[in-house]
Amino acid sequence: MRRAHTVEQVRAAEAELMAKLPDGMLLQRAATGLAVAISNFIGFTYGARVVLLAGSGDNGGDALYAGEKLARRGAQVVAVLLSDKYHREGLAALLTAGGRVGTTDDIATADVVVDGIVGIGGRPGLKPEARDAVRRAEEHHVPIVAVDMPSGVDVDTGETPAEHVKAALTVTFGTHKICHLIDPAAAACGPVHLVDIGLDLPPAPIKSLQSVDIRKLYPVPTGESDKYSRGVLGLMAGSAQYPGAAVIATSGALAGPIGMLRYVGPDAVAEAVRAEHPEIVAGEGRVQAWAIGSGLGDELDVPKVRDLLDGDEPVLLDADGLKALDDTGDHPSVLITPHAGELARMLGVERSQVESERLKHAREAAERFDVTVLLKGSTTVIAAPDGQVRVNNNAGAWLATAGAGDVLAGLCGSLLAAGLTPIDAAAAGAYLHAAAANLAADGGPITAMQVAAKVPAATRQLLGKGLLEGETSG
């Protein structure tokens, strides 16, 4: 599990640890890990041309001390000082080791630029001198390794309201920060390498579940299981206008852990679903959960859906089903799966606002509607009404294809019917959905039905082999 802590939490943990360690020891731990990560990133050390962008604060100190360690191993290290408040002890150590102070002209011939411009407490955006240095690295196609986070992003929200560094690698210390997991800042981080510096941290407000966590959640049947005890899902999807959505959502649901699916919809659509999946049962009956909305279009029955929302079974609302939700009731067992445009309509804001402030708006919707929100996107943000937040970021870009959301709705509904809580169903569903897409894509285009077809294979990998395609062990 990857845990992301706030700046306040990290600073408190660092202060507690520094009180127990000799002066400078914590900084040296971070600098050593940073130096190793830089060497591994460029693939060599002796003769490497390294330019440090050193601002004020500890991140600049980390960069300077890391530069000192690289210089002692034969690297040609140049420090570009972007603040009069640079870390003087760090610069002295670098100069003693053979490094030198240079200018942004040195960036043009560098193998790597190290972003030590601001620390985790810095404000979004870059000052002019830092902006010019970063632009020069971009112009000359020199990769940037960020210290702790790309300078200029908002650490605690994942937002990027101003110009910022776009890193090829981010090296962080002690724990992940929120910007490492939440887009759009996460996209600016590149791969994130975590260096353990011994922090004792409180519970994290944001978590990203990995394969071992999802494996523990997944409802595996036992020898005593039958189709009813495994879970029965009621699916209300598709219409004369969008019959394919019912077929796709059914495919996603049947690829999950349920024992049976009841399809409720127009006869003509039921026939299309049955033609693809003869094992479904058409018509209403007892279920353990509902998945409602994919492709309903104008055939959404709002009063009926609201009756189900007030019932005892958990409900997943997707697409058109979201129109039946209001903010007047208590819906702790409801899971909604909007994309940015749908959530924007629900909250009365512009889509661009949701896309740029994903965490903020997912939390706002969870609190306002008293539901668990799965906000789809390049990274999936899952926010529960009790404040829990989980993030899924193992999806590849090929998953952005028509009907993929219908697969996800069916799969998450299946997990709800099998007994998972809304937040666990959302986390497990998003994870397996992305893993299945990675398997199906194999580096090329895919369709929604191909994603659904790979969910069982992704599940077998999860339960038997551990790491899935698209996931790293870092």
Side-chain angles (χ1 to χ4, degrees):
M1 182 183 296
R2 293 174 183 165
R3 296 172 172 85
H5 291 82
T6 65
V7 171
E8 183 179 1
Q9 289 176 315
V10 172
R11 282 179 164 171
E14 287 177 342
E16 182 179 351
L17 183 56
M18 284 190 290
K20 302 174 183 177
L21 296 175
D23 287 347
M25 178 63 72
L26 189 61
L27 192 152
Q28 289 296 331
R29 288 182 182 179
T32 299
L34 176 60
V36 171
I38 293 169
S39 291
N40 291 339
F41 174 75
I42 58 179
F44 64 104
T45 304
Y46 188 84
R49 294 163 297 183
V50 180
V51 173
L52 313 174
L53 303 181
S56 59
D58 288 342
N59 277 26
D62 292 336
L64 291 167
Y65 275 114
E68 175 237 348
K69 299 177 192 309
L70 294 170
R72 292 189 184 282
R73 295 174 59 193
Q76 302 171 32
V77 184
V78 177
V80 177
L81 305 177
L82 298 176
S83 170
D84 293 336
K85 298 179 181 178
Y86 59 84
H87 198 287
R88 280 166 169 71
E89 293 84 357
L91 179 61
L94 172 63
L95 297 177
T96 300
R100 65 180 176 87
V101 175
T103 69
T104 55
D105 291 339
D106 292 291
I107 292 173
T109 57
D111 295 305
V112 67
V113 168
V114 179
D115 165 22
I117 300 170
V118 297
I120 59 175
R123 296 179 179 178
L126 298 171
K127 292 183 178 179
E129 60 273 18
R131 183 179 63 245
D132 293 343
V134 170
R135 287 179 178 176
R136 182 162 293 200
E138 293 172 345
E139 289 167 1
H140 291 281
H141 306 289
V142 181
I144 299 176
V145 173
V147 182
D148 232 355
M149 82 292 169
S151 293
V153 306
D154 192 310
V155 180
D156 273 350
T157 68
E159 298 167 14
T160 56
E163 192 164 354
H164 57 278
V165 169
K166 299 175 183 66
L169 173 72
T170 295
V171 182
T172 195
F173 313 107
T175 182
H176 289 87
K177 285 70 179 179
I178 293 170
C179 64
H180 299 143
L181 301 183
I182 304 287
D183 272 338
C189 292
V192 179
H193 176 72
L194 177 63
V195 176
D196 184 2
I197 56 174
L199 297 184
D200 184 12
L201 291 152
I206 294 179
K207 301 173 182 177
S208 175
L209 303 191
Q210 303 299 291
S211 58
V212 64
D213 309 301
I214 304 298
R215 188 182 306 125
K216 291 176 182 177
L217 290 177
Y218 196 85
V220 178
T222 68
E224 301 301 314
S225 299
D226 59 36
K227 63 185 178 183
Y228 299 107
S229 63
R230 286 181 59 189
V232 180
L233 176 67
L235 179 65
M236 194 179 298
S239 60
Q241 187 178 7
Y242 304 111
V247 176
I248 296 170
T250 299
S251 300
L254 292 175
I258 55 169
M260 189 170 80
L261 185 142
R262 294 186 184 275
Y263 175 74
V264 179
D267 290 342
V269 179
E271 287 304 313
V273 174
R274 188 181 287 111
E276 183 72 27
H277 300 289
E279 63 269 41
I280 67 108
V281 176
E284 296 193 42
R286 186 174 179 180
V287 300
Q288 276 75 55
W290 284 95
I292 301 170
S294 301
L296 285 180
D298 296 334
E299 296 179 26
L300 171 68
D301 187 340
V302 172
K304 182 172 184 176
V305 174
R306 287 182 174 169
D307 284 343
L308 293 174
L309 291 174
D310 292 332
D312 296 328
E313 294 82 18
V315 177
L316 178 144
L317 293 179
D318 180 51
D320 297 304
L322 297 168
K323 299 172 184 176
L325 184 66
D326 59 39
D327 57 4
T328 61
D330 296 325
H331 305 113
S333 61
V334 172
L335 168 63
I336 66 172
T337 56
H339 55 58
E342 290 164 340
L343 192 64
R345 286 193 294 271
M346 294 174 66
L347 295 174
V349 300
E350 295 295 322
R351 178 175 185 145
S352 59
Q353 291 178 258
V354 174
E355 291 173 335
S356 63
E357 302 172 326
R358 295 175 57 77
L359 178 61
K360 171 185 172 180
H361 288 98
R363 281 174 160 165
E364 180 182 340
E367 181 179 355
R368 175 173 164 182
F369 294 96
D370 192 34
V371 298
T372 296
V373 178
L374 185 160
L375 176 57
K376 294 179 283 195
S378 53
T379 56
T380 301
V381 179
I382 303 162
D386 64 1
Q388 293 186 74
V389 175
R390 293 183 185 168
V391 178
N392 186 72
N393 47 18
N394 67 323
W398 292 113
L399 185 52
T401 187
D406 301 333
V407 177
L408 178 64
L411 178 57
C412 290
S414 182
L415 290 159
L416 277 178
L420 295 192
T421 63
I423 192 170
D424 286 344
Y431 188 97
L432 285 169
H433 184 242
N438 292 336
L439 289 174
D442 194 25
I446 51 175
T447 65
M449 289 294 279
Q450 289 172 330
V451 175
K454 284 295 184 180
V455 172
T459 304
R460 283 191 291 273
Q461 272 200 346
L462 174 80
L463 299 178
K465 296 183 180 179
L467 290 180
L468 293 167
E469 186 176 343
E471 177 179 301
T472 66
S473 59

